[in-house]
Amino acid sequence: GYHADRWKNRLIPYSSPTKAYFDTSDQDPFCMYNYLLDITTWNKSIRRGFIRVKITDYAGNTVESQMNSEASTFQQYKRVKILTGFHRDIEKIAKISLTFSTKTLIGPKHKLRILQMKLKSLNNPKR
């Protein structure tokens, strides 16, 4: 990570647009474990919504991601990459669950069909 007062010096020199996320946990030790969720969907019609990720280890311990504040757009056969964070780290993942939500109370319920998915730890890239 970068010290909060020096982040611009690190990110601005890059020629491509860069998004910076400075999320921390509200619980001690205040760190977040970040993952990149890479999804290719199968739905014929466009879906727009939010994905929550829950991971479980072999002992049954679970941790759920924080809901992203921005909705993602999912199109057929298009890859979408979502940054997601957890308050605890799960070393050996046994199960991954995804929940798709449009955050609307009125209207039809939509399913998001996943063709391919990859969850990569950004804190431990070899996982």
Side-chain angles (χ1 to χ4, degrees), residues 13-37:
Y14 296 110
S15 59
S16 63
T18 303
K19 283 189 178 182
Y21 299 91
F22 300 106
D23 291 337
T24 59
S25 170
D26 59 355
Q27 301 167 0
D28 190 17
F30 306 107
C31 57
M32 292 288 287
Y33 298 94
N34 297 299
Y35 285 78
L36 184 64
L37 179 64

Short mmCIF file of all heavy atoms in Angstrom, two decimals, residues 13-37:
data_model
loop_
_atom_site.label_atom_id
_atom_site.label_comp_id
_atom_site.label_asym_id
_atom_site.label_seq_id
_atom_site.Cartn_x
_atom_site.Cartn_y
_atom_site.Cartn_z
N PRO A 13 1.47 9.52 -12.46
CA PRO A 13 2.40 9.37 -13.59
C PRO A 13 1.97 8.35 -14.64
O PRO A 13 2.46 8.41 -15.76
CB PRO A 13 3.71 8.93 -12.93
CG PRO A 13 3.61 9.41 -11.53
CD PRO A 13 2.16 9.34 -11.18
N TYR A 14 1.08 7.42 -14.33
CA TYR A 14 0.67 6.44 -15.32
C TYR A 14 -0.17 7.13 -16.39
O TYR A 14 -1.02 7.96 -16.10
CB TYR A 14 -0.14 5.31 -14.67
CG TYR A 14 0.67 4.51 -13.69
CD1 TYR A 14 0.44 4.60 -12.33
CD2 TYR A 14 1.69 3.68 -14.13
CE1 TYR A 14 1.20 3.88 -11.43
CE2 TYR A 14 2.45 2.95 -13.24
CZ TYR A 14 2.20 3.05 -11.90
OH TYR A 14 2.96 2.34 -11.01
N SER A 15 0.06 6.77 -17.65
CA SER A 15 -0.63 7.44 -18.75
C SER A 15 -2.08 6.98 -18.89
O SER A 15 -2.92 7.70 -19.41
CB SER A 15 0.12 7.21 -20.06
OG SER A 15 0.21 5.83 -20.32
N SER A 16 -2.39 5.76 -18.46
CA SER A 16 -3.76 5.27 -18.58
C SER A 16 -4.57 5.68 -17.35
O SER A 16 -4.02 5.89 -16.28
CB SER A 16 -3.76 3.75 -18.73
OG SER A 16 -3.23 3.16 -17.57
N PRO A 17 -5.89 5.78 -17.50
CA PRO A 17 -6.73 6.12 -16.34
C PRO A 17 -6.58 5.07 -15.24
O PRO A 17 -6.50 3.88 -15.51
CB PRO A 17 -8.15 6.10 -16.89
CG PRO A 17 -8.01 6.14 -18.36
CD PRO A 17 -6.67 5.58 -18.70
N THR A 18 -6.49 5.52 -14.02
CA THR A 18 -6.28 4.62 -12.89
C THR A 18 -7.35 4.91 -11.84
O THR A 18 -7.60 6.06 -11.51
CB THR A 18 -4.89 4.85 -12.27
OG1 THR A 18 -3.91 4.66 -13.28
CG2 THR A 18 -4.64 3.91 -11.12
N LYS A 19 -7.97 3.84 -11.33
CA LYS A 19 -8.89 3.97 -10.22
C LYS A 19 -8.13 3.59 -8.95
O LYS A 19 -7.39 2.62 -8.94
CB LYS A 19 -10.09 3.04 -10.36
CG LYS A 19 -11.12 3.53 -11.34
CD LYS A 19 -12.36 2.67 -11.27
CE LYS A 19 -13.41 3.16 -12.23
NZ LYS A 19 -14.64 2.38 -12.15
N ALA A 20 -8.34 4.33 -7.90
CA ALA A 20 -7.69 4.03 -6.62
C ALA A 20 -8.77 3.74 -5.59
O ALA A 20 -9.77 4.45 -5.52
CB ALA A 20 -6.84 5.21 -6.18
N TYR A 21 -8.57 2.70 -4.82
CA TYR A 21 -9.51 2.32 -3.78
C TYR A 21 -8.76 2.35 -2.45
O TYR A 21 -7.73 1.72 -2.30
CB TYR A 21 -10.05 0.91 -4.03
CG TYR A 21 -10.80 0.80 -5.34
CD1 TYR A 21 -10.15 0.45 -6.51
CD2 TYR A 21 -12.16 1.07 -5.39
CE1 TYR A 21 -10.82 0.37 -7.70
CE2 TYR A 21 -12.84 0.99 -6.59
CZ TYR A 21 -12.18 0.64 -7.73
OH TYR A 21 -12.84 0.55 -8.92
N PHE A 22 -9.29 3.07 -1.49
CA PHE A 22 -8.66 3.19 -0.20
C PHE A 22 -9.59 2.64 0.89
O PHE A 22 -9.90 3.31 1.85
CB PHE A 22 -8.29 4.65 0.09
CG PHE A 22 -7.34 5.20 -0.93
CD1 PHE A 22 -7.77 6.09 -1.88
CD2 PHE A 22 -6.02 4.80 -0.93
CE1 PHE A 22 -6.89 6.59 -2.83
CE2 PHE A 22 -5.14 5.30 -1.87
CZ PHE A 22 -5.57 6.20 -2.82
N ASP A 23 -10.06 1.43 0.68
CA ASP A 23 -10.97 0.81 1.63
C ASP A 23 -10.21 0.20 2.78
O ASP A 23 -9.18 -0.43 2.59
CB ASP A 23 -11.79 -0.29 0.96
CG ASP A 23 -12.79 0.26 -0.04
OD1 ASP A 23 -13.14 1.45 0.10
OD2 ASP A 23 -13.20 -0.47 -0.93
N THR A 24 -10.73 0.39 3.96
CA THR A 24 -10.20 -0.29 5.14
C THR A 24 -11.38 -0.87 5.89
O THR A 24 -12.52 -0.48 5.70
CB THR A 24 -9.44 0.67 6.07
OG1 THR A 24 -10.32 1.72 6.48
CG2 THR A 24 -8.22 1.27 5.38
N SER A 25 -11.07 -1.79 6.75
CA SER A 25 -12.09 -2.41 7.58
C SER A 25 -12.40 -1.49 8.76
O SER A 25 -11.58 -0.68 9.15
CB SER A 25 -11.57 -3.76 8.09
OG SER A 25 -12.41 -4.28 9.06
N ASP A 26 -13.60 -1.63 9.33
CA ASP A 26 -13.92 -0.85 10.52
C ASP A 26 -13.57 -1.61 11.80
O ASP A 26 -13.87 -1.17 12.89
CB ASP A 26 -15.40 -0.46 10.52
CG ASP A 26 -16.33 -1.66 10.46
OD1 ASP A 26 -15.84 -2.80 10.33
OD2 ASP A 26 -17.55 -1.46 10.55
N GLN A 27 -12.93 -2.78 11.63
CA GLN A 27 -12.55 -3.60 12.78
C GLN A 27 -11.04 -3.81 12.79
O GLN A 27 -10.41 -3.87 11.74
CB GLN A 27 -13.25 -4.97 12.71
CG GLN A 27 -14.75 -4.87 12.69
CD GLN A 27 -15.40 -6.19 12.32
OE1 GLN A 27 -14.73 -7.18 12.08
NE2 GLN A 27 -16.71 -6.19 12.25
N ASP A 28 -10.47 -3.88 13.98
CA ASP A 28 -9.05 -4.14 14.14
C ASP A 28 -8.70 -5.47 13.50
O ASP A 28 -9.44 -6.42 13.65
CB ASP A 28 -8.72 -4.17 15.64
CG ASP A 28 -7.25 -4.18 15.94
OD1 ASP A 28 -6.47 -3.84 15.04
OD2 ASP A 28 -6.88 -4.52 17.07
N PRO A 29 -7.73 -5.62 12.65
CA PRO A 29 -6.57 -4.76 12.38
C PRO A 29 -6.78 -3.80 11.22
O PRO A 29 -5.81 -3.28 10.68
CB PRO A 29 -5.46 -5.76 12.07
CG PRO A 29 -6.16 -6.87 11.37
CD PRO A 29 -7.53 -6.95 12.03
N PHE A 30 -8.01 -3.52 10.81
CA PHE A 30 -8.38 -2.49 9.84
C PHE A 30 -7.93 -2.77 8.41
O PHE A 30 -8.00 -1.89 7.57
CB PHE A 30 -7.88 -1.11 10.29
CG PHE A 30 -8.34 -0.76 11.66
CD1 PHE A 30 -7.45 -0.76 12.72
CD2 PHE A 30 -9.66 -0.45 11.91
CE1 PHE A 30 -7.86 -0.46 14.00
CE2 PHE A 30 -10.09 -0.13 13.18
CZ PHE A 30 -9.19 -0.14 14.23
N CYS A 31 -7.46 -3.97 8.11
CA CYS A 31 -7.03 -4.25 6.75
C CYS A 31 -8.15 -4.98 6.00
O CYS A 31 -9.00 -5.62 6.59
CB CYS A 31 -5.76 -5.07 6.72
SG CYS A 31 -5.87 -6.63 7.58
N MET A 32 -8.12 -4.83 4.68
CA MET A 32 -9.06 -5.52 3.81
C MET A 32 -8.27 -6.50 2.95
O MET A 32 -7.15 -6.21 2.55
CB MET A 32 -9.80 -4.54 2.90
CG MET A 32 -10.75 -3.60 3.60
SD MET A 32 -12.23 -4.40 4.20
CE MET A 32 -13.10 -4.70 2.68
N TYR A 33 -8.86 -7.65 2.68
CA TYR A 33 -8.26 -8.64 1.79
C TYR A 33 -8.98 -8.52 0.47
O TYR A 33 -10.18 -8.78 0.39
CB TYR A 33 -8.37 -10.03 2.41
CG TYR A 33 -7.61 -10.11 3.72
CD1 TYR A 33 -8.24 -9.88 4.93
CD2 TYR A 33 -6.25 -10.36 3.71
CE1 TYR A 33 -7.53 -9.91 6.11
CE2 TYR A 33 -5.53 -10.40 4.89
CZ TYR A 33 -6.18 -10.17 6.09
OH TYR A 33 -5.47 -10.20 7.26
N ASN A 34 -8.27 -8.09 -0.55
CA ASN A 34 -8.87 -7.76 -1.83
C ASN A 34 -8.74 -8.90 -2.83
O ASN A 34 -7.70 -9.56 -2.90
CB ASN A 34 -8.23 -6.50 -2.39
CG ASN A 34 -8.47 -5.31 -1.50
OD1 ASN A 34 -9.61 -4.94 -1.27
ND2 ASN A 34 -7.41 -4.74 -0.97
N TYR A 35 -9.80 -9.08 -3.60
CA TYR A 35 -9.84 -10.08 -4.65
C TYR A 35 -10.36 -9.44 -5.92
O TYR A 35 -11.14 -8.48 -5.87
CB TYR A 35 -10.80 -11.22 -4.27
CG TYR A 35 -10.26 -12.16 -3.23
CD1 TYR A 35 -10.25 -11.81 -1.89
CD2 TYR A 35 -9.76 -13.41 -3.59
CE1 TYR A 35 -9.75 -12.69 -0.93
CE2 TYR A 35 -9.26 -14.28 -2.64
CZ TYR A 35 -9.26 -13.92 -1.31
OH TYR A 35 -8.77 -14.77 -0.38
N LEU A 36 -9.94 -9.97 -7.04
CA LEU A 36 -10.47 -9.55 -8.34
C LEU A 36 -11.38 -10.67 -8.84
O LEU A 36 -10.94 -11.80 -9.01
CB LEU A 36 -9.33 -9.31 -9.33
CG LEU A 36 -9.77 -8.79 -10.69
CD1 LEU A 36 -10.40 -7.41 -10.56
CD2 LEU A 36 -8.59 -8.75 -11.63
N LEU A 37 -12.64 -10.34 -9.04
CA LEU A 37 -13.62 -11.29 -9.56
C LEU A 37 -13.75 -11.03 -11.05
O LEU A 37 -14.10 -9.93 -11.46
CB LEU A 37 -14.96 -11.09 -8.86
CG LEU A 37 -16.11 -11.98 -9.30
CD1 LEU A 37 -15.80 -13.44 -9.00
CD2 LEU A 37 -17.40 -11.56 -8.62
#
